[in-house]
Amino acid sequence: MDSIVVKGGAPLSGEIPISGAKNTCLKLMSAALLTEQPLTLMNVPRLSDIRTMASLLESLGCEVAMLNNGQVMVLRAGNIANAKADYEIVRKLRASFNVLGPLVARNGTAVVSLPGGCAIGARKVDLHMMALERLGATLELRDGYVHASAPGGLKGAVIDFPFVTVGGTENALTAAALAKGTTVIKNAAREPDTVDLCKCLSAMGAQISGAGTSEITVQGVDALHGATHQVIPDRIELGTFMVAPAIAGGSVELLGGRLDLVTAFAEKLDAAGVQVAETERGIQVSQTNGRARAVDVVTAPFPGFATDLQAQMMALMCTAEGTSVLEETIFENRFMHAPELMRMGAQIDVHGGVAKVTGVERLTGAPVMATDLRASVSLILAGLAAEGETMVSRVYHLDRGYERLVRKLSGVGAKIERVSA
Ligand code: EPZ
């Protein structure tokens, strides 16, 4: 199995292009099931999660064609040949549970595996199911699968989420697009991914208002049509690469990066003494004053500080001056990177959802591994600042969500390579 080896200490300079957003693209792909006409997605990131979603859609009867070296994807669900999303795929990719809404809306029935456990928390799907039931679907749990049916079609309703769920909002949106009448989604996710999904659905003929606010209204239509849509830049990849010069020193321009996608995160970097500036082509991040300063962080739904950037911020805080407190409020088990960072000399105390990090002057390289995508990349970032060699194993986590990570970082001067064991 491959590993990534990082030799720390090299300051970074140059530019990194930001890819299309993984989590956005996955949901856009599931929306292709809503129409028999082709949906063309541009700026598709070349990632294993995207390939997994493509194979799920193919198993449902959707044709998937990749063009332009994999960056353009044409999806055509002429007819739904099979409305069963198998456990073998759903267990690998939780986002695949988001085919439930489109399948029931278009096909009247669907059988979708429950995703099961996850390294970062329980990650239930009860609110996805509540939303579908509010829209008139009958749901039954059997053999680990959700059997959903709405033979007479879905009907618009008020869906009031008790707390923000990104995937739940997106499943509700795609289902409501073809429901009869009006759906109001309250306490809706305001994440850029959800806004981009609304934009794509609108281009396909859906009637949606309120995207980007916590109340979204969907006026159901009889049918959607094909469209061409450009996937937004990946704000989590962007935030991750913003940490790279902040932790290693130097100055990097992140091409295509948009500050409005990472406002809360950029404010924290600024408070930590990292220079962040918008440029004509993206965002320039520089750290020329030595160590960052400690800042406190509480994760929250958008526009708050993204949970998907908490591990990367923790890596930065490991070498910051002072003590920072990081509070994780979205997932109950999202500090799995802390013990690995401690193997590199970090001083971290975790109590429940709160981690106290006391910055040290220098981390030292070590063999490390992590249990999820963002935790893994935080170890790569820590390796950029560590003395000696850091070997990160379980690279398949990184392949799920970071396009050409090694190439992008070595392009700005990082000493990083992928090795086969
Ligand atoms: C999305 O997951 C992202 N994944 C996650 O990114 C991200 O961390 C998360 O949103 C929060 O921003 C994709 O978009 C594919 P939620 P999602 O529903 O939709 C609880 C990454 O690293 N909940 O907003 O699954 C849930 O357990 C990944 O790229 C229920 O209790 O997140 C969590 O505590 C990791 N019942 C909270 O809500 C439900 O039915 C928020 O989860 C649904 C969610």
Side-chain angles (χ1 to χ4, degrees), residues 1-5 391-393 395 417-421:
M1 211 180 279
D2 290 1
S3 303
I4 291 180
V5 177
M391 183 184 267
V392 182
S393 50
V395 168
E417 61 175 339
R418 187 172 178 130
V419 294
S420 303

Side-chain angles (χ1 to χ4, degrees), residues 37-51:
Q37 295 180 15
L39 174 65
T40 302
L41 299 177
M42 328 267 283
N43 198 28
V44 171
R46 291 157 292 188
L47 299 168
S48 66
D49 271 7
I50 298 293
R51 289 193 291 277

Side-chain angles (χ1 to χ4, degrees), residues 1-241:
M1 211 180 279
D2 290 1
S3 303
I4 291 180
V5 177
V6 190
K7 290 194 182 98
L12 308 182
S13 97
E15 46 193 53
I16 300 180
I18 300 302
S19 299
K22 167 184 81 90
N23 289 345
T24 311
C25 191
L26 291 169
K27 311 305 173 53
L28 295 170
M29 290 170 73
S30 69
L33 295 170
L34 288 165
T35 174
E36 58 187 26
Q37 295 180 15
L39 174 65
T40 302
L41 299 177
M42 328 267 283
N43 198 28
V44 171
R46 291 157 292 188
L47 299 168
S48 66
D49 271 7
I50 298 293
R51 289 193 291 277
T52 305
M53 187 60 139
S55 55
L56 171 63
L57 294 178
E58 281 173 338
S59 78
L60 303 174
C62 178
E63 290 163 25
V64 182
M66 304 300 301
L67 310 171
N68 195 17
N69 199 19
Q71 287 173 302
V72 174
M73 182 184 278
V74 184
L75 302 136
R76 190 170 165 277
N79 68 315
I80 307 290
N82 160 44
K84 182 173 180 185
D86 209 75
Y87 176 60
E88 278 314 305
I89 294 190
V90 182
R91 76 180 170 84
K92 283 194 233 156
L93 178 66
R94 304 179 62 82
S96 52
F97 196 73
N98 272 72
V99 299
L100 179 63
L103 281 179
V104 185
R106 165 107 180 264
N107 195 51
T109 60
V111 181
V112 178
S113 171
L114 282 169
C118 176
I120 60 176
R123 299 191 76 183
K124 293 192 286 182
V125 286
D126 55 328
L127 299 178
H128 297 237
M129 290 162 63
M130 176 279 278
L132 266 292
E133 281 176 338
R134 293 289 300 138
L135 294 171
T138 306
L139 266 53
E140 205 189 320
L141 280 181
R142 241 185 298 134
D143 315 322
Y145 283 80
V146 177
H147 296 249
S149 73
L154 297 170
K155 292 188 186 61
V158 174
I159 300 168
D160 194 353
F161 286 113
F163 51 86
V164 173
T165 157
V166 178
T169 301
E170 292 167 342
N171 236 334
L173 269 170
T174 45
L178 290 181
K180 288 189 189 72
T182 308
T183 298
V184 180
I185 304 173
K186 296 188 172 189
N187 211 3
R190 290 183 280 163
E191 267 63 7
D193 317 86
T194 312
V195 176
D196 202 45
L197 175 63
C198 289
K199 198 171 158 199
C200 179
L201 289 170
S202 298
M204 294 166 72
Q207 301 286 321
I208 300 175
S209 61
T213 75
S214 47
E215 186 166 303
I216 303 178
T217 303
V218 185
Q219 192 69 49
V221 295
D222 289 339
L224 295 180
H225 52 72
T228 296
H229 180 83
Q230 168 104 1
V231 182
I232 53 168
D234 194 314
R235 68 198 162 99
I236 308 303
E237 189 201 28
L238 171 62
T240 302
F241 289 135

